[in-house]
Amino acid sequence: MGTKQFSGSPEDADLRRADSLAREIFSDVANKWALLIIEALGERTLRFSELRNEIEGISHKMLTQNLRMLERNGLVERTVHPVVPPRVDYALTEPGQALRVTIDGLCDWTHRYLGHIETSRHRFDA
Amino acid sequence: MGTKQFSGSPEDADLRRADSLAREIFSDVANKWALLIIEALGERTLRFSELRNEIEGISHKMLTQNLRMLERNGLVERTVHPVVPPRVDYALTEPGQALRVTIDGLCDWTHRYLGHIETSRHRFDA
DNA sequence: CGGTATCCTCGGCGATACTG
DNA sequence: CAGTATCGCCGAGGATACCG
């Protein structure tokens, strides 16, 4: 990922394109808020304000911004209900669900190694 | 993750502590450069300059900074060879390897859905 | 309620230079 | 070669206010 060396040959052009696209997507997704949003959604469908409550410390702006990004990449589906007051629901698409599975792995990892990490930190800080 | 609601009861104190710690670790790790470094290391052991070459676009500063962070959390091991010029090797620890596996999943996901995402973007941008 | 726009600040990050 | 320190800027992101 972002590692390969390409020759100057023209037939590598689309490989290089795919590679930079992969890197771009990776940068979109490998971000704290995006991951927390996906994790929060899980299998449920939540409204904007519910997401805001679920994810501690996220600002209005960051939430909308990341939701747009995720929608653009086809990871979340946004459905607007034409009622007043407005109601907007968010849910993961199939690609989003697939991603969520790996993020679950990340969360599991975090909790499994909580202890290791905490002691490692104390050792380091000395 | 960063989701739970705690009562004010004192016996929840350590739960809340563990939770905020988990969130902290998550924020450390759920970051583009950290993930790319771990992915670059894989099963190999690389020197500083090799890492710098492997990871396209990372600056000297970001690399050292993230390496320190990963070392502090016990995800990478740093070994200094007392030679001149200096030689410093980095390798993943066992927790680091465990994390790498899930990151591999993330990379696989990226490549599997490259197409989906690209078309989704085009639809969205219209 | 959800979204967009505007403003303003604070710190992330690159560039550069210097040590061992 | 690897690491630390300093400076300076640019932009991420919070706060606020206003629409539909």
Side-chain angles (χ1 to χ4, degrees), chain B residues 59-92:
Chain B
S59 71
H60 187 91
K61 190 179 185 179
M62 279 301 93
L63 184 53
T64 40
Q65 193 167 302
N66 278 277
L67 282 172
R68 285 301 156 272
M69 181 275 283
L70 292 173
E71 187 191 0
R72 185 171 112 94
N73 288 324
L75 305 193
V76 306
E77 185 177 20
R78 176 171 176 269
T79 65
V80 183
H81 298 88
V83 296
V84 38
R87 177 192 180 93
V88 182
D89 287 342
Y90 292 93
L92 293 180

Side-chain angles (χ1 to χ4, degrees), chain B:
Chain B
M1 185 81 59
T3 289
K4 300 191 192 63
Q5 307 294 342
F6 293 104
S7 67
S9 66
E11 53 272 4
D12 278 344
D14 50 346
L15 283 181
R16 188 153 41 242
R17 232 192 83 273
D19 208 55
S20 81
L21 181 62
R23 183 64 171 266
E24 204 181 314
I25 295 169
F26 191 84
S27 298
D28 271 1
V29 153
N31 134 328
K32 179 185 166 179
W33 293 127
L35 295 184
L36 286 172
I37 289 172
I38 292 170
E39 187 63 14
L41 277 175
E43 327 219 333
R44 310 176 283 176
T45 135
L46 295 177
R47 337 182 24 167
F48 184 87
S49 49
E50 291 171 333
L51 271 170
R52 189 144 164 50
N53 292 333
E54 288 288 331
I55 303 171
E56 170 150 344
I58 196 168
S59 71
H60 187 91
K61 190 179 185 179
M62 279 301 93
L63 184 53
T64 40
Q65 193 167 302
N66 278 277
L67 282 172
R68 285 301 156 272
M69 181 275 283
L70 292 173
E71 187 191 0
R72 185 171 112 94
N73 288 324
L75 305 193
V76 306
E77 185 177 20
R78 176 171 176 269
T79 65
V80 183
H81 298 88
V83 296
V84 38
R87 177 192 180 93
V88 182
D89 287 342
Y90 292 93
L92 293 180
T93 61
E94 187 265 325
Q97 288 291 347
L99 179 55
R100 204 207 79 226
V101 173
T102 85
I103 299 177
D104 284 345
L106 218 176
C107 291
D108 291 348
W109 176 88
T110 304
H111 287 103
R112 183 170 315 123
Y113 287 97
L114 255 187
H116 283 70
I117 293 173
E118 194 172 17
T119 61
S120 175
R121 285 184 173 191
H122 286 113
R123 236 181 300 118
F124 186 91
D125 293 342

Side-chain angles (χ1 to χ4, degrees), chain A residues 33 57 59 61-62 65 86:
Chain A
W33 293 127
S59 69
K61 190 180 185 177
M62 281 299 94
Q65 193 168 303

